[in-house]
Structures are given as C-alpha cells and as structure tokens.
Amino acid sequence: MPLFSGADLTAIGLTLRLAATTMALLLVLGTPLAWWLAHTPSRWRGAVAALVALPLVLPPTVIGFYLLITLGPQGPGGQFTQWLGLGTLPFTFWGLVAGSLIYSLPFAVQPLQHAFEAMGPRPLEAAATLGAGPLDRFFTVALPLAWPGFVTAAILSFAHTVGEFGVVLMLGGNIPGVTRVVSVQIYDHVEALEYAQAHGLAAAMVVFSFVVLLGLNLTRRRAAPVMP
C-alpha cells in the first residue's frame, strides 16, 4: 500500500503551490511595508505595526470568518472583485491566497523590518555621500545587507502557510483539488477514522517542520557576526 494516496498527493501539490505563491507575494508586498515601519517617524507606526502583528494573536477562525464576510458577495471586497469581473474569492484557490497573505503577513514583514533596522543608517548615508539615489541605495546597499531577513521571511511565510488550517477551512472549505490542502486532508482522514493515512501525512508535516526550523537556525548562525 503506498504511503500517500492520489488525494494526498493532490493536497500536497496544492499546499506547495499555495505556500510558494503566498511567499512570493509577501516578499514583494511586505518589503516596502517593512521598510516603512523600520524608518518612518510617523505617529501611525505603532498602529500599523499592531495591525501587521494581529494575526499572531487572533484565532485563525476569526480571521477566516471576517475574510469570508469581506470577500463574500455582499462584502466590499466581494463587490469589488465582482465589479472587476473576477467573481468572488471564497472557495477558490485565490481566496486561499488572500487569506494566507493576511494570516502569514507578520511572518514576512517582521523579519524584514528587523533586518532593515539592524542595518543602521550609516551604510545608506555613506552611499548617499557617493551620489547614490534613494532607489540605488535601496537596491545596491539595503537589500544585500538585509539578505538574512529575506531568507528568514521566505522560510517562515512558506512554512506557516503550509501549516494553515482554520483560515483555509473557513475561507476555502473542503473542495478536492481546489481548496483541500494537507491540513484539511489530515482532518478528513481522522474524521473517516483512516488513522494510517493521517499518520503518513502528519509525520511528513513533522519532518517538514523540523527541516524548516533546522534550516532557519543554520541560516541565522551563518548570518551572525563573528566575535573576535
């Protein structure tokens, strides 16, 4: 008997696709937000930082519920996507992406923000004295110096998306090949008393999580400055 059934493999493929899409979008969208949080003197900085961190303390079902209402046919997000001719996002793959972007946002923004803050102002000031413009300083100085933060943000946002359950179940339901990710597939196996199949997927998740954390620790060790 194979370790994974066809439905399991479909769920694994969908989960990896969702995690990769979410990770890429978060790195693109989260970088300017993290840069702003790291450097702005605005009095709104604290409020924005709290909003970014909100998914860390809110139950996933709460996030999923409000996203379901917001993106549904009567919600502002749903009315906007319908006006664009895209239909509604709940119970679709892109609905899962929308939920994952919100739920995994702090796991991308916070490492990037910390990396930009740790860099300090001196490298950018030195580049400015040499005539580098703002964009040039950002792409040639800030990004290379902040690479550990980007690696951490990519790893954490990818892994966190893989492990989602409450948000994806509330917003996407349980549609095979469309919204049934690995966490939901494990739940289905348990509901059907298929413990052997649940063990296979759950063990794979444990191994994946360990490898992610090990890789993250090794990356941080390599990025840490060497003390004389």
Side-chain angles (χ1 to χ4, degrees):
M1 182 178 177
L3 180 61
F4 300 124
S5 66
D8 292 342
L9 294 175
T10 300
I12 292 173
L14 179 65
T15 302
L16 294 177
R17 179 186 168 205
L18 173 64
T21 303
T22 301
M23 177 191 69
L25 290 175
L26 280 176
L27 289 179
V28 172
L29 300 175
T31 297
L33 177 56
W35 181 261
W36 183 84
L37 286 171
H39 294 94
T40 183
S42 172
R43 62 179 181 177
W44 296 103
R45 180 180 183 272
V48 174
L51 283 175
V52 169
L54 204 56
L56 295 174
V57 296
L58 277 179
T61 49
V62 171
I63 300 173
F65 171 72
Y66 281 114
L67 284 174
L68 184 63
I69 298 300
T70 302
L71 300 175
Q74 305 305 319
Q79 292 181 0
F80 179 69
T81 55
Q82 290 178 91
W83 178 75
L84 292 176
L86 302 176
T88 54
L89 294 181
F91 309 107
T92 67
F93 173 78
W94 289 105
L96 295 187
V97 172
S100 299
L101 288 175
I102 300 298
Y103 189 46
S104 295
L105 183 65
F107 292 87
V109 172
Q110 290 183 351
L112 292 174
Q113 179 186 347
H114 295 156
F116 289 141
E117 290 172 344
M119 183 177 59
R122 294 185 62 182
L124 297 177
E125 292 172 353
T129 61
L130 296 175
L135 285 178
D136 191 19
R137 295 197 298 270
F138 179 77
F139 284 104
T140 62
V141 179
L143 289 188
L145 289 177
W147 74 265
F150 280 90
V151 174
T152 301
I155 293 174
L156 289 181
S157 58
F158 186 94
H160 191 250
T161 303
V162 168
E164 289 178 7
F165 177 71
V167 170
V168 296
L169 188 61
M170 290 287 291
L171 192 57
N174 188 0
I175 306 173
V178 179
T179 62
R180 184 186 291 173
V181 294
V182 168
S183 57
V184 179
Q185 183 74 1
I186 294 173
Y187 178 80
D188 281 354
H189 283 317
V190 175
E191 284 283 287
L193 302 180
E194 298 169 347
Y195 292 143
Q197 293 90 329
H199 272 306
L201 279 177
M205 290 289 288
V206 171
V207 172
F208 169 79
S209 301
F210 175 79
V211 170
V212 165
L213 292 175
L214 179 61
L216 187 59
N217 287 333
L218 292 176
T219 300
R220 287 174 173 172
R221 182 176 299 180
R222 289 183 58 189
V226 178
M227 300 299 294

